[in-house]
Amino acid sequence: MERLGVVVLAAGLGKRMHSAQAKVLHRLAGKPLLSRVLQAARRLHPDRVVVVVGHQAAEVQRLCGGEGVEFAVQPEQRGTGDAVRAVRPRFHDFHGDILIVCGDTPLLTTGTLNGFIQQHRARKVTLSVLTAYLDDPANYGRVIRTGDGQVDKIVETRDALAAELAVREINTGIYCVRADFLFAALERLQPLNAQGEYYLTDIVAQAVSAGLPTQAVLAADPAEIGGINSREELAIMEKTRQAQLRSHWMAAGVTLEDPETVYIDEDVTIGQDTVIGPNTHLKGKTTIGARCRIDGSAYIENCRIGDEVHILFSVVLSDSELGNHTEVGPFAHLRPGTVLAPRAEIGNFVEVKKSFVGEHTKAKHLAYIGDTEIGRDANIGAGTITCNYDGFRKHRTKIGDRVQVGSDTTLVAPITIHDDVYIATATTVRHDVPAGSLVFNTRREEVREGWTAAKRAKEAEKK
Ligand code: UD1
Ligand code: CA
């Protein structure tokens, strides 16, 4: 078997992004651009993967984490050719083909790369470059062919003559090259172009003039090879990727009532026969079970949602777990660390944070539950507040099974309410309550008959 090395170029800042952040760290469908490219490359099972880093090298390296990936530092970004030169020490003992891809082409698939490598090997060429026909060749390098259709060279937009600019065949920035030729050619690059950079693209003309077998391979799907250079291109590609993800999940048996308004991150999973309403955002590592219903206007991030869960209109849920048959919303806020046991119900204007809500327990209206553990079959009345913060520290509240918390209760943590307690309405509970008790605050209720009329008369006199 021929050996295969992969080089991923990811050192550039990406000037046209006008960002303090390295371009490959910008996200598409919630995932850094580079992660997707790297994933496509690793699935080829190459002998070696080297990522060229420069701008924010530490962050980029952290992102690539995991075995099998090596790094080469390009200290100064002097062009794509200079970037590949930086990997040479990693390939000193290597004989075979090197696949070069850019870290800013996130829709690239393993299938396309594989087909490209196969064609390179089948034809036994020294250099293959992957190209595509675009209606609008924009700022891509143009592929110039000779009269007999053979590839001759690649010309960057900024260096191109008018006739060359009219060419619609573009360089995707993906190459497969014999290692020995590659490193020798890189040594011969000259920065004689509009940008004063060492262009990797110049190795094509070098191979041709040396009489080495060279080919341009057309990509079947031009949508896959788009590079991101600006925020606008990022936004356009996000649209493309979102359309793909929606189609994928619909094909897998998920109903999207208004697909264009559902936003799905790369790592989200959704179970069969789940129905998702308009304006739903599924972010991060969210997983959604089967036969769920999400009514709409939901922002759900890093949540684990079981089967047959009903999420009513308008909620924000983050880093939380929703057991099977739970119900949340409308207008609910589950903050990080919330765990809802099966059949728990969280209703309107309820906020829950870092809390466990037991099976079949309900908090249906206007409550704040923080740093709390609640048993099963309990009911949290309207207006209940866990006072978890004393201005210095957070404290925990424990509420047992079958506890009935009356409306307008304040629970001053740290506190434990044992099983089967009844808390009367409008009680401030400051001490632990033993199982089976009733707890209330003594207060006298007074009624002054005729008070309103007397008061109004008095006020009228003042005028
Ligand atoms: C490059 C190609 C162009 C092609 C296009 C495809 C060159 C000269 N041009 O242009 O023909 O059509 O890709 O998308 O190669 N990088 C480094 N170090 C550097 C410069 C760049 O690591 O010194 C990395 C960038 O981080 C990026 C990739 O190389 O991931 C491509 O660089 P970019 O500046 O985007 O090249 P393009 O102008 O798009
Ligand atoms: Ca680019």
Side-chain angles (χ1 to χ4, degrees):
M1 248 305 257
E2 270 289 1
R3 299 185 72 197
L4 179 70
V6 176
V7 172
V8 183
L9 304 186
L13 170 65
K15 289 190 199 86
R16 289 161 281 177
M17 294 295 280
H18 297 283
S19 172
Q21 179 171 252
K23 177 166 66 179
V24 294
L25 296 174
H26 283 262
R27 285 163 189 268
L28 186 80
K31 242 187 154 154
L33 301 180
L34 180 60
S35 307
R36 287 189 49 90
V37 177
L38 207 56
Q39 190 181 45
R42 289 174 83 169
R43 287 183 181 159
L44 295 165
H45 306 294
D47 296 292
R48 198 167 294 183
V49 178
V50 182
V51 179
V52 184
V53 295
H55 271 281
Q56 293 180 306
E59 282 90 335
V60 175
Q61 280 183 243
R62 203 172 315 129
L63 173 84
C64 301
E67 307 105 64
V69 178
E70 298 172 55
F71 300 95
V73 180
Q74 184 196 21
E76 218 186 308
Q77 281 66 60
R78 298 186 299 174
T80 47
D82 180 62
V84 180
R85 212 150 41 186
V87 307
R88 187 173 195 163
R90 304 263 164 218
F91 287 93
H92 67 93
D93 58 344
F94 182 92
H95 302 284
D97 295 309
I98 295 186
L99 175 76
I100 303 168
V101 296
C102 296
D104 65 351
T105 49
L107 296 189
L108 205 57
T109 63
T110 306
T112 291
L113 292 177
N114 227 338
F116 176 56
I117 295 164
Q118 296 318 317
Q119 292 202 50
H120 173 78
R121 290 186 167 167
R123 304 218 180 108
K124 296 192 166 54
V125 293
T126 302
L127 184 153
S128 300
V129 54
L130 188 67
T131 68
Y133 272 104
L134 298 185
D135 290 336
D136 173 14
N139 290 320
Y140 290 99
R142 305 296 202 273
V143 178
I144 309 302
R145 294 187 185 247
T146 55
D148 60 358
Q150 289 300 304
V151 62
D152 187 36
K153 60 178 175 179
I154 291 167
V155 182
E156 291 306 290
T157 307
R158 294 221 235 165
D159 305 301
L161 306 168
E164 292 168 335
L165 281 179
V167 170
R168 287 177 40 233
E169 187 182 5
I170 62 98
N171 168 27
T172 65
I174 298 159
Y175 318 80
C176 195
V177 196
R178 298 290 309 165
D180 46 0
F181 166 75
L182 173 66
F183 293 114
L186 292 175
E187 291 311 314
R188 294 189 290 262
L189 291 180
Q190 294 291 327
L192 303 173
N193 49 60
Q195 304 195 75
E197 289 187 351
Y198 294 91
Y199 285 172
L200 178 58
T201 46
D202 289 347
I203 65 172
V204 175
Q206 277 198 42
V208 172
S209 57
L212 297 166
T214 306
Q215 65 172 349
V217 177
L218 262 175
D221 180 7
E224 243 188 54
I225 54 77
I228 305 270
N229 299 300
S230 64
R231 308 269 181 169
E232 193 164 0
E233 284 167 355
L234 180 63
I236 292 167
M237 194 165 287
E238 179 74 36
K239 268 202 189 309
T240 306
R241 186 63 191 143
Q242 285 303 323
Q244 290 176 347
L245 287 163
R246 290 170 194 134
S247 299
H248 169 83
W249 289 113
M250 289 191 281
V254 175
T255 293
L256 304 181
E257 289 176 336
D258 185 10
E260 253 121 86
T261 67
V262 177
Y263 306 89
I264 308 170
D265 271 0
E266 204 65 51
D267 293 335
V268 168
T269 64
I270 313 170
Q272 203 179 32
D273 287 317
T274 282
V275 176
I276 298 177
N279 192 29
T280 295
H281 305 249
L282 304 174
K283 316 291 280 182
K285 298 205 184 309
T286 292
T287 62
I288 298 173
R291 300 174 301 283
C292 292
R293 189 175 158 87
I294 299 175
D295 289 349
S297 281
Y299 190 92
I300 304 176
E301 188 164 26
N302 299 326
C303 286
R304 257 180 45 209
I305 297 174
D307 294 333
E308 294 179 39
V309 171
H310 186 185
I311 296 171
L312 287 84
F313 193 80
S314 196
V315 296
V316 176
L317 317 178
S318 40
D319 300 278
S320 294
E321 257 182 75
L322 283 67
N324 296 342
H325 304 282
T326 48
E327 199 181 290
V328 174
F331 312 107
H333 188 188
L334 302 187
R335 290 169 51 204
T338 296
V339 178
L340 305 184
R343 292 179 203 283
E345 292 178 25
I346 299 297
N348 43 187
F349 307 107
V350 175
E351 174 181 343
V352 188
K353 182 214 80 169
K354 241 195 214 173
S355 294
F356 176 87
V357 179
E359 211 169 318
H360 210 256
T361 284
K362 299 176 185 182
K364 298 288 280 187
H365 336 264
L366 302 149
Y368 172 63
I369 300 167
D371 304 307
T372 298
E373 190 186 314
I374 312 175
R376 56 180 304 151
D377 297 306
N379 189 65
I380 308 298
T384 297
I385 307 288
T386 56
C387 310
N388 59 331
Y389 185 50
D390 59 12
F392 300 96
R393 269 174 285 284
K394 300 280 168 67
H395 300 283
R396 296 199 62 84
T397 297
K398 271 193 84 174
I399 300 174
D401 295 342
R402 297 170 301 279
V403 169
Q404 295 293 311
V405 179
S407 300
D408 196 20
T409 291
T410 46
L411 298 164
V412 184
I415 194 166
T416 301
I417 312 295
H418 290 277
D419 293 346
D420 301 293
V421 163
Y422 270 64
I423 302 177
T425 190
T427 304
T428 298
V429 190
R430 295 177 185 279
H431 306 102
D432 292 357
V433 181
S437 316
L438 168 71
V439 54
F440 59 93
N441 297 148
T442 349
R443 264 183 297 197
R444 227 178 44 214
E445 185 168 284
E446 291 190 24
V447 178
R448 294 185 186 157
E449 276 186 51
W451 183 90
T452 309
K455 176 73 175 170
R456 284 177 182 161
K458 207 160 155 191
E459 291 297 328
E461 254 168 48
K462 286 186 194 161
K463 280 195 185 150

